[in-house]
């Protein structure tokens, strides 16, 4: 089931199945009994039938909600949504209409109802926990100085329980007055707190091991810890039979998680993006998947490292160089797990390539330029004057080519300036040089096109690709930052050339990596 819709790709083979959910964040059971899932990266909310695994989009990515991170249902069946990046809280009525509840909460995330009362917290250092009044009225602050709040819930004692993600602590605060109280500390990377039907406090970890901590606060006081293996847990909900269903910001999907750590997939996990893609000399495919480095293996997606905010990627011997649209370039060593900063303070760096001398060439999309980063971290401008350079590629003579998805063209840098090589393309992004051919992903035309650098002849090598936004969901672009907290990255359909001549495409519209095989195969 592809979240993109439309026909299967022509001329390409999926290495993994499509990911029905574009990352999965806040979850809550709706009046219809289905589990509703907020998808921050997609700007969507979907409803999951837990019996069949069927997924239906109930809030599409072309409406007023830009970046839903959590949700809760009111007594009348209305859905309340925290829209993180634009600082909004929405009400979606049972009839489907939207009403703005508040735009005075900064980085709104965790949300909970207590009877008919609505509470929201802020996911930022120094954040607040507030009561909101849907019919108007000034928000009431219950607690402040939250170290990154997130998913919260009312406990059996009438207090709201919430995590401090940065300090590994869980707090509670009475809803009718009184200060916050520390409940538990040394909790592994807490991202969500929930209560099961028996009153036990369950705390999810956002880390790679998928740790879940249970605390019997109102009984023995015992603490138990299990590792689920689900990378990047985000949220959880318990059904009437006390079955726990969890989401993952890193890989999407919905799984049933037993108290002993065993899992059962309801909606399979996969890529959140992916964004950039690369292949090392051994043929291993790596994808920059926003929250992690991941790749296809035997039809599944495996996480190599929970390395946050990665978008461009290039293999270099045993190393991987990555960019983050939030401004930095890093080098990751898979053998040791070490990460070395290479450059910071760039304006939305995206595509990356490696020169023969070891320096890195980076498309600085936000600044309209291409830069080089040497081994000492010195940044040098190679060329400026682009509208939006997205990817870079080098030929055998180390000449640099640049795709510009606003201009619909590919340029070559000559004497410090861009020279037009190919135009008339429809939003070109991923780019490689393959012998005499310049190959790019046209995200607007949803195809891979090769252009001969000698004759100018163009050949369509694959089409009907799930790249770019799904049809009808070309939403307004959310901000990259909000109050110093990372917002939503821009989509990037990367392209890589394998050692055997195969092309690999990040099909970011459906969450797969595609392989285009050489003609001899």
């Amino acid at each position: 089931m592809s979240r993109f819709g439309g026909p299967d790709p022509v001329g390409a083979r999926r290495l993994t199945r499509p990911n029905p959910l574009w990352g999965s964040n806040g979850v809550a059971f709706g009046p219809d009994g289905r589990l509703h899932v907020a998808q921050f990266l997609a700007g969507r909310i979907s409803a999951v039938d837990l019996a069949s695994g069927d997924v239906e989009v109930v809030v599409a990515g072309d409406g007023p909600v830009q970046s839903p991170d959590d949700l809760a249902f009111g007594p009348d069946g209305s859905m309340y949504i925290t829209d993180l990046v634009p600082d909004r809280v929405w009400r979606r009525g049972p009839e489907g209409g939207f009403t703005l509840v508040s735009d005075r909460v900064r980085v709104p995330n965790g949300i909970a109802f207590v009877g008919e009362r609505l509470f929201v917290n802020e996911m930022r250092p120094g954040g607040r926990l507030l009561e909101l009044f849907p019919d108007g009225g000034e928000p009431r602050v219950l607690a402040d100085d939250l170290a990154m709040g997130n998913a919260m819930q009312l406990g059996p004692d009438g207090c709201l329980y919430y995590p401090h993600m940065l300090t590994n602590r869980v707090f509670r605060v009475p809803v009718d007055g009184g200060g916050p109280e520390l409940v538990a500390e040394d909790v592994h990377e807490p991202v969500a707190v929930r209560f099961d039907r028996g009153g036990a406090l369950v705390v999810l970890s956002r880390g790679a091991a998928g740790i879940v901590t249970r605390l019997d606060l109102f009984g023995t006081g015992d603490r138990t810890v299990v590792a689920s293996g689900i990378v990047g847990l985000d949220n959880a909900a318990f059904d009437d039979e006390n079955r726990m269903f969890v989401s993952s910001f890193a890989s999407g999907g919905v799984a049933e998680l037993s108290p002993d750590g065993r899992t059962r997939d309801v909606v399979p996990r996969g890529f959140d993006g992916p964004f950039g893609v690369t292949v090392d000399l051994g043929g291993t495919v790596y994808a920059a998947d926003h929250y992690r480095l991941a790749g296809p293996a035997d039809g599944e997606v495996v996480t190599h490292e929970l390395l946050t905010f990665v978008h461009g990627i290039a293999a270099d011997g045993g190393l991987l160089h990555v960019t983050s649209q939030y401004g930095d370039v890093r080098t990751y060593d898979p053998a040791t797990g070490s990460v070395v900063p290479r450059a910071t303070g760039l304006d939305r760096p995206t595509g990356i390539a490696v020169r023969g001398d070891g320096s890195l060439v980076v498309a600085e999309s936000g600044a309209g330029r291409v830069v080089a980063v040497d081994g000492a971290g010195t940044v040098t401008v190679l060329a400026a004057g682009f509208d939006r350079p997205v990817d870079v590629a080098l030929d055998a003579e180390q000449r640099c080519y640049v795709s510009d998805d606003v201009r619909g063209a590919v340029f070559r840098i000559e004497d410090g300036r861009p020279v037009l090589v190919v135009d008339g393309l429809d939003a070109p992004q991923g780019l490689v040089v393959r012998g005499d051919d310049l190959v790019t992903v046209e995200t607007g035309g949803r195809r891979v096109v090769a252009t001969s650098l000698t004759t100018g002849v163009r050949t369509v090598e694959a089409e009907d690709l799930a790249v770019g936004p799904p049809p009808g969901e070309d939403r307004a672009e959310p901000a990259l930052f909000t109050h110093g907290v990372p917002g939503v990255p821009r989509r990037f359909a990367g392209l890589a050339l394998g050692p055997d001549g195969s092309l690999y495409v990040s099909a970011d519209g459906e969450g797969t990596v595609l392989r285009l095989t050489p003609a001899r195969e």
Side-chain angles (χ1 to χ4, degrees):
M1 173 174 45
S2 173
R3 66 195 184 203
F4 193 87
D8 287 340
V10 176
R13 177 173 63 88
R14 292 185 177 106
L15 298 184
T16 61
R17 59 177 173 256
N19 188 355
L21 296 173
W22 219 309
S24 50
N25 302 99
V27 292
F29 283 99
D32 59 3
R34 294 184 296 175
L35 187 69
H36 288 64
V37 184
Q39 298 159 77
F40 169 78
L41 290 177
R44 279 182 172 183
I45 297 173
S46 298
V48 176
D49 185 315
L50 296 177
S52 66
D54 290 344
V55 177
E56 179 190 359
V57 177
V58 294
V59 176
D62 57 352
V65 179
Q66 294 185 21
S67 51
D69 204 87
D70 204 356
L71 70 161
F73 286 89
D76 67 346
S78 294
M79 179 194 301
Y80 289 79
I81 306 159
T82 50
D83 195 356
L84 189 147
V85 174
D87 298 339
R88 295 169 184 159
V89 179
W90 296 95
R91 173 186 177 270
R92 180 180 182 266
E95 79 291 344
F98 289 90
T99 305
L100 182 64
V101 175
S102 176
D103 58 2
R104 289 180 286 178
V105 184
R106 296 190 289 274
V107 200
N109 194 326
I111 186 168
F113 264 93
V114 177
E116 295 187 354
R117 299 168 65 184
L118 175 64
F119 298 88
V120 171
N121 66 38
E122 298 176 327
M123 194 189 73
R124 63 182 180 91
R128 302 169 297 170
L129 194 160
L130 309 103
E131 181 175 5
L132 301 183
F133 302 94
D135 295 330
E138 193 70 21
R140 181 174 72 93
V141 178
L142 279 74
D144 55 15
D145 203 26
L146 274 65
M148 302 282 283
N150 211 304
M152 61 181 179
Q153 189 172 352
L154 183 72
D157 57 355
C159 293
L160 277 172
Y161 287 69
Y162 55 96
H164 277 208
M165 290 199 292
L166 297 183
T167 63
N168 297 335
R169 293 175 170 180
V170 176
F171 286 79
R172 65 185 172 193
V173 65
V175 297
D176 290 318
E181 175 188 358
L182 177 64
V183 174
E185 53 188 341
D186 298 322
V187 183
H188 189 270
E189 299 184 28
V191 69
V193 295
R194 290 288 182 253
F195 285 90
D196 70 11
R197 298 295 178 180
L201 177 65
V202 180
V203 186
L204 277 64
S205 164
R206 68 183 188 277
I211 289 173
V212 177
T213 303
R214 288 177 179 264
L215 299 100
D216 187 1
L217 294 180
F218 307 104
T220 64
D222 290 345
R223 177 188 294 207
T224 60
V225 178
V226 298
S228 69
I230 298 176
V231 178
L233 289 171
D234 191 286
N235 215 313
F238 288 87
D239 69 4
D240 291 338
E241 299 175 5
N242 207 30
R243 296 183 301 168
M244 180 182 181
F245 296 90
V246 298
S247 61
S248 166
F249 65 83
S251 57
V254 171
E256 181 181 355
L257 177 55
S258 299
D260 60 4
R262 289 177 296 132
T263 62
R264 177 184 68 86
D265 285 346
V266 177
V267 178
R269 296 180 296 279
F271 289 111
D272 275 357
F275 293 76
V277 63
T278 193
V279 189
D280 68 13
L281 292 176
T284 299
V285 179
Y286 294 91
D289 199 34
H290 188 60
Y291 296 110
R292 59 179 178 159
L293 294 178
D298 299 323
E300 303 293 331
V301 178
V302 296
T303 299
H304 298 292
E305 186 74 25
L306 195 59
L307 188 63
T308 50
F309 309 137
V310 287
H311 303 112
I313 185 168
D316 177 19
L319 302 175
L320 296 170
H321 306 290
V322 297
T323 65
S324 167
Q325 293 186 35
Y326 303 109
D328 62 54
V329 180
R330 292 166 283 173
T331 295
Y332 169 72
D333 186 344
T336 65
S338 65
V339 180
V340 177
R342 301 294 299 274
T344 59
L346 299 179
D347 190 349
R348 210 187 283 260
T350 308
I352 184 170
V354 187
R355 280 175 162 173
D357 64 2
S359 61
L360 308 178
V361 180
V362 178
E364 194 179 1
S365 297
R369 63 184 190 172
V370 174
V371 301
V373 182
D374 67 15
T378 302
V379 177
T380 304
V381 178
L382 299 181
F386 301 94
D387 279 0
R388 190 163 69 196
V390 180
D391 204 5
V392 289
L394 304 170
D395 66 13
E397 287 75 40
Q398 297 292 287
R399 293 178 298 184
C400 181
Y401 295 82
V402 185
S403 60
D404 188 319
D405 66 352
V406 171
R407 291 206 191 167
V410 176
F411 298 85
R412 183 170 56 235
I413 296 177
E414 296 182 4
D415 298 324
R417 61 187 182 88
V419 175
L420 181 66
V421 177
V422 182
D423 63 358
L425 299 171
D426 194 350
Q429 292 191 350
L431 183 70
V432 300
V433 178
R434 184 188 59 193
D436 180 58
D437 289 335
L438 190 64
V439 189
T440 188
V441 181
E442 276 191 293
T443 59
R446 298 176 50 208
R447 60 186 188 170
V448 171
V449 177
T451 303
S452 171
L453 292 170
T454 302
T455 66
V457 172
R458 296 186 192 179
T459 304
V460 176
E461 302 212 350
E463 53 190 341
D464 291 334
L465 306 182
V467 293
E473 290 200 18
D474 195 5
R475 63 173 169 162
E477 186 175 286
L480 188 63
F481 288 97
T482 176
H483 304 287
V485 175
V488 179
R490 186 178 290 146
R491 304 182 199 279
F492 171 40
L495 181 67
L497 181 65
D500 65 348
S502 296
L503 293 168
Y504 295 83
V505 180
S506 289
D508 60 330
E510 67 175 13
T512 59
V513 170
L514 307 175
R515 181 173 184 251
L516 286 64
T517 55
R520 65 179 179 273
E521 296 188 21

